[in-house]
């Protein structure tokens, strides 16, 4: 997702340099939104890691 934020940032910079202010504004807005979404997900995952929450159990499944 961070990759998409960088892609839209590059689009915004190129569009702004070429004078397409509407396109640049839209791409910049998308890049900012994606950056904050990525940052929020990162913070949540760091908090979960600090609390010791595991995503996958390491114990084998019970034989049935």
């Amino acid at each position: 997702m961070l990759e998409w934020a960088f892609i839209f940032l590059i689009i915004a910079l190129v569009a702004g340099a070429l004078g397409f202010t509407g396109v640049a504004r839209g791409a910049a807005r998308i890049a900012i939104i994606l950056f904050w979404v990525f940052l929020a997900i990162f913070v949540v995952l760091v908090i979960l890691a600090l609390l010791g929450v595991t995503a996958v159990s390491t114990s084998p499944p019970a034989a049935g």
Side-chain angles (χ1 to χ4, degrees):
M1 190 176 313
L2 187 60
E3 178 180 317
W4 283 103
F6 285 127
I7 290 171
F8 280 107
L9 175 65
I10 299 300
I11 291 172
L13 292 174
V14 170
L18 296 176
F20 302 118
T21 56
V23 174
R25 188 175 299 121
R29 176 174 256 182
I30 293 171
I32 290 170
I33 290 170
L34 289 176
F35 172 77
W36 287 112
V37 168
F38 170 78
L39 188 64
I41 292 171
F42 174 75
V43 168
V44 167
L45 291 177
V46 167
I47 291 171
L48 289 175
L50 291 175
L51 293 175
V53 176
T54 58
V56 178
S57 176
T58 56
S59 61

